[in-house]
Amino acid sequence: LNEKALIEACKRMDRRAQKQLYDQFAPAMLGICRRYLRDLGAAEDALQEGFFKILTRLDSYTGEGSFAGWMRRVMVNECLMQLRQRNLLRFPETMPQISDEAQDNRILNQLSAVEILSLLDEMPPGYRAVFNLYVIEGFKHREIADLLDISINTSKSQLVLARQKMEMLLKTRLGIHNGEL
Amino acid sequence: MSTETNLQSKIFEIQPAERVWQKLEQQLEAHEKQNRVLPLRHKWRWAAAAACLLALAAAWFNSYTDEKPGFSSGLYAPPKNLEELPLSAEGSHCGVCCLSLRMRHTLPEYYQQPRQKNT
């Protein structure tokens, strides 16, 4: 079945099609959930709940944009909801140093996915969420502010703090002193 | 290629445990059971049958009330002249209003007619 036929079959609640869709996308979606949620069990719970929403609300997919992108967004929303339910998303109003805003992703691009994930695991959930949303998913600060119910400035400051934390973790891990990174 | 795209391409995949699908399947089954509805054509059939029954019931009720006044007509349509009704006639359907008049005849004489006020 091609993607369109698969979606149509899933809308008819055809269990075999649903399983096919799950088998096709679940590993990538669990990868996304795991980036937001440190605990694999919690990530699997988010995957299950996210897939349930995908399979029961397929009618809300209008066909605009890629289907994988739509699923990805549902999963990200589910992960954020889980974090919110566990009261893990806290964003203290801290003003970071402006000089750190210029940092780019060149160092991160040199790291493997496993290395990035292990760095993310060491970050607090709030930083982790903003970093994931902005740097990896490519959301704008306005979208992040809407998703997390925070101000645009808070989103920006959280990103700077998250980058600082990431830099510090990298330095510690690589044994690099200040100024060398 | 943007840095974001580079990073997105690094997203690794994790194979979920088999139990995740099993739990999801159970969740889907429960959802389907909850939302199971009759197909539309069956709905129309049920609606048509209900309408027929309703029409039959209305026709029967009307015919019954035309021939002999029933409970409802006794309640809501009292005879104009209560005193002229055949109070002792067997099988007469005089309703609630004349039942009260009949009661007067079964009571002691004192209560049979309202007492005239002493002037």
Side-chain angles (χ1 to χ4, degrees):
Chain A
L1 286 175
N2 64 24
E3 190 176 276
K4 203 175 175 186
L6 192 60
I7 293 168
E8 286 307 314
C10 287
K11 280 183 185 174
R12 294 192 301 271
M13 301 305 270
D14 178 339
R15 189 71 79 241
R16 269 172 42 186
Q18 288 175 333
K19 178 78 167 95
Q20 193 182 329
L21 189 84
Y22 174 84
D23 287 342
Q24 195 175 327
F25 289 101
M29 294 300 143
L30 185 56
I32 293 170
C33 295
R34 180 62 185 78
R35 267 194 292 114
Y36 286 85
L37 301 156
R38 194 176 297 173
D39 176 39
L40 182 62
E44 285 184 334
D45 285 348
L47 176 79
Q48 184 199 327
E49 203 54 47
F51 250 102
F52 176 73
K53 282 179 182 162
I54 287 167
L55 292 172
T56 51
R57 296 174 196 178
L58 273 172
D59 287 329
S60 61
Y61 172 60
T62 54
E64 286 174 28
S66 75
F67 182 62
W70 179 76
M71 290 179 79
R72 188 189 189 89
R73 195 163 179 122
V74 174
M75 282 297 166
V76 169
N77 273 323
E78 187 55 42
C79 293
L80 294 176
M81 195 183 286
Q82 297 246 348
L83 285 169
R84 229 175 265 126
Q85 280 171 356
R86 292 161 200 217
N87 203 22
L88 291 172
L89 281 183
R90 291 190 211 102
F91 301 101
E93 292 287 340
T94 316
M95 290 312 291
Q97 290 174 3
I98 298 166
S99 60
D100 290 301
E101 258 185 302
Q103 191 184 358
D104 59 29
N105 300 320
R106 274 178 296 184
I107 301 158
L108 284 174
N109 282 328
Q110 289 164 21
L111 299 174
S112 69
V114 179
E115 285 169 329
I116 293 173
L117 188 70
S118 71
L119 283 171
L120 284 171
D121 278 348
E122 293 182 45
M123 290 169 78
Y127 289 0
R128 190 186 170 109
V130 175
F131 187 88
N132 264 319
L133 290 167
Y134 188 87
V135 180
I136 300 178
E137 314 287 357
F139 282 99
K140 304 276 178 264
H141 280 300
R142 184 177 42 78
E143 293 170 307
I144 297 171
D146 286 343
L147 276 170
L148 300 177
D149 198 22
I150 55 175
S151 70
I152 292 175
N153 281 338
T154 306
S155 171
K156 284 179 181 172
S157 65
Q158 289 295 305
L159 180 68
V160 175
L161 290 167
R163 282 188 194 279
Q164 282 178 351
K165 179 82 177 169
M166 180 71 89
E167 189 182 337
M168 195 190 77
L169 289 169
L170 264 173
K171 280 177 183 172
T172 312
R173 190 164 293 190
L174 301 172
I176 296 171
H177 303 291
N178 278 345
E180 288 181 39
L181 193 67
Chain B
M1 192 183 249
S2 71
T3 50
E4 283 79 11
T5 317
N6 276 337
L7 285 170
Q8 274 191 9
S9 68
K10 287 189 177 190
I11 308 299
F12 60 84
E13 297 186 348
I14 306 171
Q15 194 60 43
E18 189 57 36
R19 67 171 185 279
V20 180
W21 168 251
Q22 287 164 359
K23 281 160 76 179
L24 177 63
E25 200 173 17
Q26 284 172 4
Q27 205 177 358
L28 287 167
E29 274 166 18
H31 174 78
E32 281 168 33
K33 262 185 199 169
Q34 207 173 22
N35 294 320
R36 193 166 287 157
V37 288
L38 288 166
L40 193 63
R41 61 177 191 279
H42 289 169
K43 270 186 186 173
W44 283 112
R45 282 180 187 172
W46 280 113
C52 282
L53 274 175
L54 211 64
L56 280 172
W60 174 79
F61 186 75
N62 278 339
S63 66
Y64 180 78
T65 48
D66 285 346
E67 285 167 13
K68 36 189 178 180
F71 178 72
S72 62
S73 59
L75 267 180
Y76 301 113
K80 283 179 184 172
N81 192 351
L82 296 175
E83 301 297 336
E84 290 173 5
L85 283 168
L87 298 179
S88 58
E90 283 297 321
S92 69
H93 302 274
C94 65
V96 175
C97 297
C98 69
L99 275 174
S100 63
L101 285 174
R102 278 188 193 170
M103 286 290 286
R104 289 184 188 171
H105 293 275
T106 58
L107 289 169
E109 197 177 348
Y110 178 81
Y111 295 102
Q112 281 180 13
Q113 292 301 326
R115 182 186 285 187
Q116 297 294 316
K117 275 186 181 177
N118 293 329
T119 52

